[in-house]
Amino acid sequence: MSEVIFEDKFRHLLIRRRSTYDAAFLALLERTTWGSGGLTYTINNISEILNRIEQPHFLALEKKGQLIGALTLMRKTNRLGDKDYPAFYSYGLAIENTERGKGYGTLLSGQALDYGLSQLQERGVYYGYVEAANTRSLRTLQKVGRKSLGQYNSLLVSRLCPKDRGCVEKLEDSQRERLVQLLYEQYSNHSLTDFEQSIKTEDYYVVMQGGEIIAGLQCERNHLTIKHLPGASGVLLLKILPRIPWVRRLFPQGNYHFLTLGNIYAREGNEGNLFNLIEAVLAKYKLNFGMIYLDRRSPIYQRLKRAGKFGIFHALVTVPVHVMAYLKGFTAHETAEIHRTPLFISMMDPV
């Protein structure tokens, strides 16, 4: 079942909203090269990402009956300050190569925003992520009224030969409520938290001590093919490492397999236990890399940076990303307060 949310009969354009995606929608995302002006890549596990999205709204832009654009919205709830608000997360704006530069990205972005805002209550938030170097996408979102709430950065954890130190335990269902409480305490001064929704016990691992959680993380497996990475990191990753026999297995033909690590918890002083847990989870999944996404203003970011156990490839991929948002129904004072708080990057939100 589909719903037409926009139609321009003169230009033979329409936008359909569906709760499921079709083969053409998936194929467009699979052949899209993401990024502009910095890191560029293709995503090799798009179907897994789309299937993980809860309450999806798949928006398809058609021209004369042919798909030329795609964008996905996720309906959710986010906490700003000490209150929860309805929200939409926007992901994966893609326009067919032959149709770029004609304003279709702005059209789809604007109509998606209008649709999302119409579904929210009097107060809510519509947001998504754009790499700071992707000036083309940033301009598109700014045209339709979205503004940056702040930035987050990636922290790359690498282990050439990760070892399971015997500290991995799955989070039990009976521990979930306690973990949610601990995370809200740890990230009490952050905006966009959503722990009640995003914690998945089947993907969450903990270190226990005396019956209490002292470190924990959630993980998802991801796979990119890196097409371009500027600067010395790009030369190292795409030109030099593939020539070193014992290292080239890590990046075969630019393929980058990694775990996204989120909903990070570490009791104060237990950062070392967290890094041991990361290594054990990498060993469990037989991978060498994990990516953590945090706002640099976050005290958790500062604690992890001081712990300094990231591995030899830590500086390889450091990509600042804007959180582009539209805040509906918030006063200027409330908006300014949100701008001052560090932002939380949810495991629900595909990066």
Side-chain angles (χ1 to χ4, degrees), residues 108-296:
L108 183 52
S109 294
Q111 292 298 322
L113 175 62
D114 289 345
Y115 171 78
L117 295 179
S118 73
Q119 300 298 305
L120 298 176
Q121 299 169 11
E122 293 183 0
R123 289 157 65 87
V125 58
Y126 181 107
Y127 71 105
Y129 307 142
V130 180
E131 291 144 8
N134 193 343
T135 54
R136 181 176 60 200
S137 291
L138 285 172
R139 285 195 300 267
T140 295
L141 299 185
Q142 288 165 349
K143 285 179 184 177
V144 302
R146 288 165 64 181
K147 298 179 180 179
S148 177
L149 288 183
Q151 292 186 9
Y152 68 82
N153 286 74
S154 57
L155 291 170
L156 173 63
V157 182
S158 63
R159 298 291 185 269
L160 292 180
C161 299
K163 294 179 175 59
D164 185 348
R165 301 175 183 271
C167 61
V168 171
E169 293 184 36
K170 278 282 189 76
L171 180 73
E172 297 179 3
D173 290 339
S174 61
Q175 299 169 324
R176 189 180 188 279
E177 184 177 349
R178 174 57 177 163
L179 175 67
V180 168
Q181 178 187 357
L182 291 172
L183 287 170
Y184 272 125
E185 291 172 358
Q186 180 173 264
Y187 295 95
S188 61
N189 64 332
H190 293 59
S191 292
L192 300 179
T193 54
D194 60 0
F195 303 120
E196 289 96 339
Q197 301 163 89
S198 62
I199 295 295
K200 307 297 181 186
T201 55
E202 62 271 22
D203 299 319
Y204 204 97
Y205 298 89
V206 295
V207 178
M208 304 292 296
Q209 188 177 89
E212 278 289 323
I213 301 169
I214 62 170
L217 62 84
Q218 193 166 328
C219 63
E220 288 177 353
R221 189 168 189 143
N222 286 292
H223 176 199
L224 309 179
T225 297
I226 297 177
K227 300 296 185 179
H228 175 73
L229 184 64
S233 294
V235 173
L236 178 64
L237 176 64
L238 301 177
K239 301 295 183 182
I240 297 177
L241 293 183
R243 298 176 182 271
I244 304 174
W246 64 278
V247 177
R248 64 187 175 199
R249 64 180 177 81
L250 303 178
F251 303 99
Q253 298 180 327
N255 282 279
Y256 177 41
H257 296 265
F258 64 101
L259 289 179
T260 295
L261 307 173
N263 284 334
I264 297 288
Y265 174 74
R267 183 191 289 178
E268 193 83 32
N270 282 273
E271 293 78 14
N273 285 310
L274 175 64
F275 280 98
N276 289 340
L277 177 58
I278 292 173
E279 180 171 352
V281 172
L282 289 175
K284 176 180 176 62
Y285 282 84
K286 296 180 171 58
L287 293 174
N288 302 95
F289 302 100
M291 297 292 289
I292 302 171
Y293 304 101
L294 286 169
D295 189 326
R296 284 186 173 178

